[in-house]
């Protein structure tokens, strides 16, 4: 062995020696004492230190090659006696995989499939994972529901879950709804209160949704917390305002049906509006329908609306009447209509002999008839029969005014008693104008009849009642009755929908309970 070079450091405690070995030559590790090398320069050195890559050791005497090899070998193997021993990256990775395997085994043991959790940061211990699962159970989530969205197991109880739930609770979201809330939108547990949730809440308030209504909106549609403010939410609202929905009504519309905020204009809202227009409903009338019944936008156009329109045509509803049918009862395009039409037609055919053509006229005038239950209908038919009308007359009256099947029976009895005892008219007058039962006895029938009787005029029920109060006042100035003025058309007036909305917009949260009005 030949020393090619040496570096002398002027501090007596450090000496570094570099050796250059010929290639392909094996040597026993050897530590050359510094005393020999140093003796040529200073002969009084008695203590030395040698520096190596992994540490340092000091000796008062010359170390043998065997001892040096033993010390080096111990440090290389990570001997526990070394002050600087650390686990290698490989060891750390193996330990992490072992911990993950134990967590996976725990999850499998309680019925959770962890396949989707690969790559997700999970707790390093089973105890922490057990804490998360137990917390989710307390919130009401079952194992099956966790399996529906297993990524929720990547949420920390203290850092994610509790802050989000506390925020929702402070907004007013009821704890009793947390289970349903998380079942529908478990992603909320991943959200940041400051970055994700609070901006959406402020945006909703900016849409004129009252603070007291915000929690009900979130309970009804928790998915809204995941939408981007500049995306679907803003475009859907802008489109509705563009077709004529009053800006002051937007808050009420979104409060009653916040799902609008998640609807694509091009795929959902615009095609729906244009289809109703194609049936003869003016765009402004569609806007009014949305203001009053915003949930109709949720009726699937292809799956529900179009098939229901075809069903109406199949049951002899005229195409020209489709617009008034939908305008009167928008829910008719959002129910399972075909079986209802068949059932109601069969029932009315049985009790009053209504044929298919007449049934179409009945639906045109009272589309809610498809949702009438049988028992009230039977009671109304029996009442008319008890009044002395024949079955044929009852059928004619029902076709002329289907509302007879849904009016308050007590009020109908009072109106009939007044007609029979005070008005001195024949039964045919009621058969020809069955809508008599739809007018208020005290507000309309009695005052007008007394005025006509006082003037000594003889008139039909239609001339007496089928006009506005202003028009009736004009008629009272006539010396005779002009029957040509009688308007027997009792069909729905589409213009009533296009009238300006009232200044009082819907503000407080309320359910659309009118859906069951005719059940």
């Amino acid at each position: 062995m030949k020393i090619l070079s040496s570096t002398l450091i002027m501090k007596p405690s450090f000496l570094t020696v570099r050796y250059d070995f010929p290639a392909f030559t094996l040597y026993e590790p050897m530590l050359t004492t510094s005393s020999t090398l140093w003796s040529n320069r200073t002969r009084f050195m008695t203590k030395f230190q040698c520096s190596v890559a992994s540490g340092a050791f000091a000796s008062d005497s010359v170390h043998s090659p065997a001892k040096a090899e033993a010390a080096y070998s111990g440090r290389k193997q990570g001997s526990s006696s070394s002050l600087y021993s650390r686990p290698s990256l490989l060891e750390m990775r193996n330990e992490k995989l072992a911990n993950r395997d134990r967590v996976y085994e725990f999850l499998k043991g309680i019925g959770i499939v962890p396949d989707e959790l690969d790559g997700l940061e999970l707790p390093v211990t089973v105890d922490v994972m057990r804490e998360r699962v137990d917390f989710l159970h307390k919130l009401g989530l079952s194992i099956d529901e966790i399996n529906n969205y297993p990524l929720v197991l990547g949420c920390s109880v203290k850092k994610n879950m509790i802050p989000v739930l506390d925020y929702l609770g402070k907004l007013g979201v009821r704890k009793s709804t947390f289970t349903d809330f998380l079942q529908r939108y478990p992603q909320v547990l991943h959200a940041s209160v400051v970055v994700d949730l609070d901006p959406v809440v402020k945006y909703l308030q900016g849409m004129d949704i009252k603070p007291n209504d915000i929690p009900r909106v979130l309970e009804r549609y928790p998915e809204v917390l995941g939408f981007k403010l500049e995306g679907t939410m803003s475009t859907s609202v802008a489109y509705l305002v563009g077709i004529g929905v009053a800006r002051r009504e937007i808050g009420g519309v979104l409060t009653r049906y916040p799902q609008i905020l998640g609807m694509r204009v091009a795929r959902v809202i615009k095609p729906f509006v244009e289809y109703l227009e194609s049936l003869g409903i003016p765009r402004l009338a569609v806007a009014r329908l949305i203001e009053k019944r915003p949930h109709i936008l949720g009726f699937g156009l292809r799956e529900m609306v179009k098939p229901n329109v075809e069903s109406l045509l199949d049951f002899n509803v005229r195409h020209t009447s489709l617009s008034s049918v939908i305008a009167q009862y928008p829910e008719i395009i959002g129910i399972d209509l075909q079986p209802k039409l068949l059932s109601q037609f069969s029932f009315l055919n049985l009790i009053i002999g209504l044929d298919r053509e007449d049934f179409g006229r009945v639906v045109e005038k009272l589309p809610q008839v498809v949702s009438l239950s049988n028992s009230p209908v039977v009671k109304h038919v029996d009442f008319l029969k008890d009044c002395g009308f024949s079955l044929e007359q009852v059928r004619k009256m029902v076709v002329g005014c289907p509302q007879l099947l849904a009016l308050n029976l007590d009020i109908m009895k009072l109106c009939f008693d007044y007609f029979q005892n005070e008005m001195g008219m024949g039964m045919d007058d009621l058969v020809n104008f069955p809508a008599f039962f739809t007018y208020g006895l005290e507000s309309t029938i009695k005052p007008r009849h007394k005025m006509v009787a006082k003037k000594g005029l003889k008139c039909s029920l239609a001339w007496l009642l089928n006009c506005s109060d202003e028009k009736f006042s004009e008629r009272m100035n006539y010396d005779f009755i002009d029957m040509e003025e009688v308007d027997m058309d009792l069909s729905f007036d589409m213009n009533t929908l296009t009238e300006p909305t009232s200044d009082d917009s819907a503000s407080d949260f309320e359910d659309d309970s009118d859906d069951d009005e005719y059940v």
Side-chain angles (χ1 to χ4, degrees):
M1 180 178 67
K2 180 177 64 174
I3 298 177
L4 297 180
S5 63
S6 64
T7 302
L8 180 63
I9 301 176
M10 294 310 294
K11 292 183 179 181
S13 60
F14 292 96
L15 175 66
T16 302
V17 180
R18 182 170 64 85
Y19 297 98
D20 192 1
F21 298 99
F24 305 105
T25 304
L26 297 178
Y27 293 92
E28 287 293 329
M30 181 177 297
L31 185 63
T32 303
T33 61
S34 60
S35 58
T36 304
L37 298 174
W38 193 264
S39 60
N40 293 331
R41 300 176 185 272
T42 56
R43 298 183 177 277
F44 52 84
M45 181 178 184
T46 60
K47 184 176 181 179
F48 67 91
Q49 289 185 343
C50 290
S51 173
V52 296
S54 61
F57 65 90
S59 175
D60 292 330
S61 62
V62 177
H63 287 256
S64 68
K67 289 183 180 180
E69 171 66 17
Y72 174 79
S73 184
R75 282 188 295 275
K76 185 176 181 180
Q77 297 175 6
S79 172
S80 60
S81 62
S82 173
L83 295 176
Y84 296 93
S85 63
R86 297 188 183 93
S88 66
L89 293 177
L90 178 61
E91 290 172 334
M92 293 173 64
R93 185 174 62 183
N94 290 339
E95 180 65 20
K96 185 176 181 179
L97 291 175
N99 289 335
R100 196 177 191 90
D101 288 340
R102 286 190 287 269
V103 170
Y104 275 18
E105 288 301 318
F106 163 72
L107 294 175
K108 291 177 182 178
I110 61 175
I112 295 176
V113 181
D115 296 348
E116 297 183 30
L117 301 180
D118 293 341
L120 187 68
E121 189 69 26
L122 294 179
V124 296
T125 66
V126 172
D127 290 339
V128 176
M129 179 56 76
R130 182 182 290 109
E131 178 189 10
R132 292 187 185 181
V133 174
D134 290 344
F135 190 81
L136 293 172
H137 282 331
K138 291 178 181 178
L139 293 175
L141 298 182
S142 64
I143 294 296
D144 290 338
E145 288 160 348
I146 295 175
N147 275 326
N148 290 335
Y149 188 72
L151 297 181
V152 73
L153 295 174
C155 297
S156 167
V157 173
K158 295 180 180 179
K159 295 180 180 180
N160 300 107
M161 301 186 191
I162 291 179
V164 168
L165 296 176
D166 283 347
Y167 176 75
L168 294 176
K170 291 177 181 178
L171 285 177
V173 176
R174 295 166 294 183
K175 290 185 178 180
S176 59
T177 67
F178 278 176
T179 300
D180 180 68
F181 196 106
L182 296 177
Q183 288 172 351
R184 294 178 56 185
Y185 188 60
Q187 295 90 333
V188 72
L189 295 179
H190 290 283
S192 163
V193 170
V194 176
V195 176
D196 302 317
L197 305 185
D198 198 50
V200 173
V201 170
K202 291 179 179 177
Y203 179 86
L204 294 177
Q205 292 173 342
M207 289 289 102
D208 294 334
I209 298 178
K210 292 187 175 183
N212 290 339
D213 292 333
I214 293 292
R216 303 294 88 79
V217 169
L218 297 181
E219 289 173 3
R220 173 168 281 192
Y221 192 51
E223 293 89 342
V224 72
L225 290 172
F227 295 151
K228 294 182 179 179
L229 305 185
E230 299 79 11
T232 305
M233 291 200 294
S234 58
T235 56
S236 59
V237 170
Y239 179 81
L240 292 180
V241 173
I243 66 171
V245 174
R247 183 63 184 82
R248 63 179 177 274
E249 298 292 330
I250 287 295
V253 167
L254 297 180
T255 296
R256 295 194 299 277
Y257 196 69
Q259 289 85 347
I260 290 174
L261 293 169
M263 292 180 175
R264 300 274 184 180
V265 171
R267 295 182 183 178
V268 180
I269 304 178
K270 189 171 183 284
F272 181 87
V273 171
E274 291 178 346
Y275 181 71
L276 293 188
E277 284 186 282
S278 73
L279 297 178
I281 305 177
R283 175 167 289 201
L284 189 55
V286 175
R288 295 294 174 266
L289 288 177
I290 293 173
E291 289 175 2
K292 297 177 181 179
R293 292 286 188 275
H295 61 274
I296 64 175
L297 289 172
F299 298 158
L301 183 59
R302 179 179 300 177
E303 305 81 10
M304 190 173 293
V305 177
K306 291 184 177 180
N308 282 352
V309 169
E310 291 300 321
S311 295
L312 290 171
L313 295 173
D314 290 343
F315 278 85
N316 292 91
V317 173
R318 293 168 294 188
H319 194 281
T320 54
S321 298
L322 288 173
S323 58
S324 67
V325 168
I326 296 172
Q328 291 179 78
Y329 188 46
E331 285 77 11
I332 200 169
I333 58 174
I335 60 178
D336 190 8
L337 186 58
Q338 180 76 16
K340 285 181 175 290
L341 286 168
L342 180 59
S343 174
Q344 203 70 321
F345 166 68
S346 300
F347 175 66
L348 292 176
N349 175 264
L350 177 65
I351 64 170
I352 59 175
L354 203 65
D355 60 28
R356 202 175 183 92
E357 189 73 23
D358 287 338
F359 182 69
R361 305 294 80 75
V362 167
V363 174
E364 289 175 3
K365 296 176 181 177
L366 184 71
Q368 295 91 340
V369 71
V370 300
S371 297
L372 287 178
S373 57
N374 292 349
S375 179
V377 172
V378 171
K379 291 180 179 179
H380 286 74
V381 170
D382 288 343
F383 164 74
L384 294 175
K385 289 179 179 179
D386 292 340
C387 290
F389 297 106
S390 66
L391 185 60
E392 177 62 24
Q393 289 176 320
V394 171
R395 185 195 64 78
K396 184 178 179 180
M397 294 172 72
V398 169
V399 174
C401 183
Q403 287 79 3
L404 295 179
L405 300 177
L407 296 174
N408 185 296
L409 272 178
D410 292 332
I411 294 177
M412 290 180 70
K413 291 176 182 178
L414 293 174
C415 289
F416 182 72
D417 290 341
Y418 183 82
F419 171 83
Q420 194 174 41
N421 299 325
E422 302 294 336
M423 301 186 72
M425 295 183 178
M427 298 289 280
D428 287 341
D429 287 289
L430 280 178
V431 175
N432 294 328
F433 191 72
F436 165 83
F437 290 100
T438 65
Y439 291 89
L441 179 60
E442 299 297 333
S443 62
T444 305
I445 297 175
K446 283 185 178 182
R448 291 190 182 186
H449 172 254
K450 290 179 179 179
M451 292 176 68
V452 169
K454 184 177 181 180
K455 196 165 184 178
L457 296 175
K458 294 291 185 180
C459 65
S460 67
L461 289 175
W463 191 92
L464 177 71
L465 299 173
N466 191 25
C467 63
S468 66
D469 289 338
E470 292 77 9
K471 184 64 176 177
F472 182 75
S473 297
E474 291 180 12
R475 289 178 179 179
M476 286 298 94
N477 295 324
Y478 299 165
D479 295 328
F480 63 93
I481 296 175
D482 185 2
M483 294 306 297
E484 292 183 358
E485 290 188 355
V486 177
D487 183 9
M488 293 301 295
D489 185 9
L490 301 179
S491 60
F492 177 76
D493 184 4
M494 188 68 67
N495 292 327
T496 59
L497 276 181
T498 58
E499 295 174 354
T501 56
S502 62
D503 292 335
D504 297 329
S505 61
S507 55
D508 294 333
F509 186 91
E510 56 185 18
D511 292 326
D512 294 318
S513 57
D514 292 347
D515 295 356
D516 300 325
E517 180 180 357
Y518 293 94
V519 177

